[in-house]
């Protein structure tokens, strides 16, 4: 006897319990990139232009790829660059620090990337967290590598920003 699995494909009854067990183990967790993107957007993270006057804006000059995601946060969250550094989900060598921004730089044989975490006040009691990325390709391998990574980056970045905010709010 055959039945449909979680992906809508036919499978034998004998293998159905394996599919049910795997599906149950991942219940409540984002198990695909699209789910992660939707969760990030649902938590108030949106794609925006690079923040004007920021370190990342200067680093993104002539960048091959640049993006930025932002979300509103309570004014007490990420009160210093130390807090931004503590909850940053991607760290490498510090490339620059201002009163409200910290930027990291990573280097590989194929590309150079910058990741910035910036907090800006948006009036009384509110602030906005920006997480931005700029990528410079060194050669065709960098282009090829990021061509493969780009779709995942665009989907996972909003989710990671939302996770960063939740962890900071929980104080973990």
């Amino acid at each position: 006897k055959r039945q449909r699995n979680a992906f809508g494909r036919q499978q034998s009854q004998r293998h159905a319990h394996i599919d049910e067990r795997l599906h149950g183990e991942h219940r409540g967790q984002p198990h695909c990139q699209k789910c992660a993107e939707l969760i990030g957007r649902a938590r108030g993270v949106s794609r925006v232009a690079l923040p004007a006057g920021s370190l990342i804006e200067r680093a993104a000059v002539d960048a091959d790829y640049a993006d930025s995601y932002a979300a509103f946060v309570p004014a007490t969250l990420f009160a210093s660059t130390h807090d931004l550094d503590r909850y940053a989900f991607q760290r490498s060598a510090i490339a620059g620090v201002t009163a409200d921004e910290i930027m990291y730089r990573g280097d590989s044989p194929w590309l150079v990337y910058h990741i910035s975490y910036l907090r800006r006040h948006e009036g009384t009691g509110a602030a906005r967290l920006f997480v931005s990325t700029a990528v410079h390709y060194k050669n065709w391998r960098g282009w090829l590598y990021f061509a493969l990574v780009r779709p995942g980056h665009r989907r996972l970045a909003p989710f990671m920003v939302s996770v960063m905010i939740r962890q900071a709010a929980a104080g973990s």
Side-chain angles (χ1 to χ4, degrees), residues 107-120:
D107 199 352
S108 79
W110 310 301
L111 54 83
V112 174
Y113 66 88
H114 292 86
I115 298 176
S116 165
Y117 300 89
L118 168 70
R119 180 183 172 269
R120 287 223 170 124

Side-chain angles (χ1 to χ4, degrees), residues 16-31:
H17 73 284
I18 295 170
D19 182 59
E20 288 172 12
R21 190 180 74 220
L22 289 174
H23 188 68
E25 287 174 2
H26 298 288
R27 185 166 295 140
Q29 298 176 5
H31 55 276

Side-chain angles (χ1 to χ4, degrees), residues 46-124:
S46 58
R47 189 169 182 175
V48 296
L50 291 175
S54 63
L55 294 173
I56 193 72
E57 185 184 45
R58 285 180 253 152
V61 173
D62 297 329
D64 296 300
Y65 176 84
D67 68 5
S68 186
Y69 294 91
F72 287 98
V73 296
T76 57
L77 212 56
F78 307 112
S80 68
T81 52
H82 173 72
D83 292 340
L84 289 171
D85 182 50
R86 179 178 175 197
Y87 295 106
F89 54 86
Q90 176 66 44
R91 291 188 201 105
S92 45
I94 294 177
V97 178
T98 65
D100 59 354
E101 181 179 18
I102 186 164
M103 185 172 66
Y104 301 97
R105 180 182 192 275
D107 199 352
S108 79
W110 310 301
L111 54 83
V112 174
Y113 66 88
H114 292 86
I115 298 176
S116 165
Y117 300 89
L118 168 70
R119 180 183 172 269
R120 287 223 170 124
H121 289 284
E122 297 283 328
T124 58

Side-chain angles (χ1 to χ4, degrees), residues 1-4 9-17:
K1 181 163 172 140
R2 299 181 74 76
Q3 67 180 36
R4 294 198 179 271
R9 296 187 184 123
Q10 292 285 334
Q11 70 179 13
S12 70
Q13 184 76 27
R14 192 178 71 162
H15 296 292
H17 73 284

